[in-house]
Amino acid sequence: METRILGKTGLEVSLIGFGGIPIQRCNQWEVDEIVENLFLEGVNFIDTARAYTNSEEMIGEALKKWGRDHFFLATKTPQLSYDAVMADVQTSLNELQTETIDLYQFHNAKTMAAYETIMSPNSGYAALQKCQELGLIKHIGITSHSYEVLDRALDEEKFETIQFPYNIVENKGAALFAKAKLKNVGVIIMKPLAGGAFMNADYALRWVAENQDISVIIPGMDSVKQVLENTKVGNDFIPLSHDERKIFEADANALGKTFCRRCGYCSPCPQGIDIPMQFIVEGYYRRYDLEEWALDRYRSFSANASDCVQCGECEPRCPYNLPIRDMLKKTRELFDPLI
């Protein structure tokens, strides 16, 4: 597996890391198999978060079998205040069943106001500094979907890593990563597959990996099959050929800008709708000529877009500010006449 240095942390991390969001859908035995195959394929960087329900717990249990020492562990807190951050660190240590966490990050600092709260005296950042002093964590990072927040974080030079979305249709981070490289700040890439929206994951990961300013790519994976497919990029990295690039660009152009990244932050829906899955099946129907498969899947859902009551609880949670209610309406208009 190709490795790169995670900025000033000095950690030599695998080019392909593991994003722990989707294992919330898995059983423990499935996570055990995933972690085993991460080890076998040379992946040494695991990213999870307090917000990913039981992700930390299942990763911690799997590492009892396959070895804590083989991996750098990164997790995150959405909390801002000193006491809440301290409590989250202790919970993460317990769930991951470890004495120290390699990288602890502030999770999705959405606004400049949130950032300023984190950095104010005796607040969240001070808590992580204290955890460093106690040996509970080794390094401090920050994640955000806001370019402006991370740009300021780089200017203030308080963080050792940043984490930001980056793929062919969300590529404004390139300038941010170049700045981070100059400041020796590690760059962690989330959403490299745009939440599974791309037809060809191999092309998507290789496109991201071509950027030498990034340190590690963390696609979310919930199966051994995905681990084996995604790690090929790091184990035998080859830049995209001219023809491959043209194919991938056409896929990206068809996708556009307003699409679901499957982050799951919109959940839970009061009506029980799996919102990301609605948009996945719609995409397969419209773009990938899999009409029959998509319609069958839509019919199989216990709740679907037709059950949306337009309450709007999902929309404030979306980091991309997507018009989810309007998108669900379009999904309903596509499928309902076919049922």
Side-chain angles (χ1 to χ4, degrees):
M1 172 71 69
E2 179 179 331
T3 60
R4 298 184 184 181
I5 301 300
L6 189 62
K8 63 185 68 175
T9 71
L11 303 177
E12 186 175 352
V13 296
S14 52
L15 175 59
I16 303 299
F18 174 73
I21 292 180
I23 62 168
Q24 300 169 84
R25 301 189 288 265
C26 295
N27 297 314
Q28 184 63 56
W29 68 265
E30 294 173 305
V31 178
D32 292 347
E33 287 192 343
I34 287 169
V35 171
E36 177 186 12
N37 280 272
L38 292 175
F39 168 68
L40 294 174
E41 295 302 318
V43 173
N44 70 358
F45 185 86
I46 291 176
D47 177 90
T48 181
R50 290 293 317 121
Y52 302 162
T53 61
N54 60 347
S55 177
E56 285 184 330
E57 180 182 359
M58 289 196 291
I59 288 170
E61 191 65 26
L63 290 178
K64 285 171 58 178
K65 299 181 179 180
W66 304 113
R68 165 69 177 92
D69 294 340
H70 295 302
F71 297 96
F72 298 120
L73 285 181
T75 192
K76 323 182 212 32
T77 176
Q79 303 298 333
L80 307 179
S81 71
Y82 186 99
D83 289 343
V85 169
M86 292 294 286
D88 260 10
V89 170
Q90 192 57 60
T91 301
S92 292
L93 290 166
N94 293 339
E95 298 286 356
L96 290 166
Q97 301 187 49
T98 185
E99 294 181 355
T100 185
I101 293 167
D102 298 290
L103 174 64
Y104 214 95
Q105 304 157 97
F106 288 101
H107 193 179
N108 193 23
K110 292 184 178 181
T111 64
M112 206 63 76
Y115 178 81
E116 289 171 353
T117 299
I118 290 168
M119 303 306 296
S120 62
N122 300 314
S123 193
Y125 186 81
L128 289 191
Q129 285 183 307
K130 182 62 176 179
C131 289
Q132 269 188 320
E133 293 174 12
L134 296 172
L136 303 179
I137 68 172
K138 294 181 181 178
H139 306 284
I140 301 174
I142 185 170
T143 86
S144 182
H145 290 79
S146 166
Y147 185 105
E148 292 71 25
V149 166
L150 294 189
D151 190 48
R152 178 165 171 185
L154 288 174
D155 286 339
E156 296 186 354
E157 301 186 356
K158 298 290 187 180
F159 295 94
E160 297 171 271
T161 66
I162 60 170
Q163 185 176 143
F164 193 69
Y166 185 58
N167 54 66
I168 194 171
V169 296
E170 298 175 273
N171 52 30
K172 69 176 183 178
L176 195 70
F177 307 151
K179 183 175 181 177
K181 183 84 168 198
L182 290 174
K183 294 178 176 290
N184 196 25
V185 172
V187 173
I188 303 165
I189 299 302
M190 59 174 159
K191 309 294 189 297
L193 305 179
F198 297 127
M199 174 73 81
N200 194 312
D202 176 73
Y203 290 179
L205 291 174
R206 286 161 63 195
W207 186 91
V208 174
E210 288 175 348
N211 189 327
Q212 293 298 310
D213 293 332
I214 67 107
S215 310
V216 56
I217 309 167
I218 53 167
M221 296 178 260
D222 61 9
S223 70
V224 171
K225 180 176 181 287
Q226 291 175 359
V227 171
L228 298 179
E229 290 174 349
N230 292 340
T231 53
K232 287 179 182 177
V233 173
N235 285 324
D236 186 24
F237 174 60
I238 302 172
L240 291 172
S241 68
H242 175 77
D243 290 343
E244 289 171 333
R245 196 175 303 277
K246 288 292 184 183
I247 293 170
F248 184 45
E249 288 173 352
D251 184 21
N253 289 335
L255 187 62
K257 296 287 185 181
T258 304
F259 63 94
C260 174
R261 280 74 165 181
R262 294 176 64 190
C263 64
Y265 293 145
C266 57
S267 300
C269 167
Q271 307 307 313
I273 303 168
D274 186 336
I275 294 171
M277 281 303 301
Q278 304 298 303
F279 303 140
I280 289 170
V281 295
E282 180 187 6
Y284 275 104
Y285 188 99
R286 294 186 189 276
R287 297 197 308 273
Y288 299 144
D289 298 323
L290 292 169
E291 291 93 343
E292 185 175 346
W293 178 90
L295 184 56
D296 285 344
R297 288 302 302 274
Y298 185 80
R299 286 173 174 148
S300 73
F301 297 141
S302 59
N304 57 34
S306 302
D307 297 297
C308 176
V309 297
Q310 299 283 299
C311 70
E313 287 191 21
C314 52
E315 291 185 357
R317 304 183 194 131
C318 177
Y320 294 94
N321 299 312
L322 294 178
I324 296 174
R325 287 174 289 179
D326 288 343
M327 293 167 66
L328 285 171
K329 182 180 178 181
K330 291 178 181 178
T331 302
R332 181 176 70 246
E333 291 171 349
L334 170 67
F335 285 114
D336 280 8
L338 304 174
I339 297 176

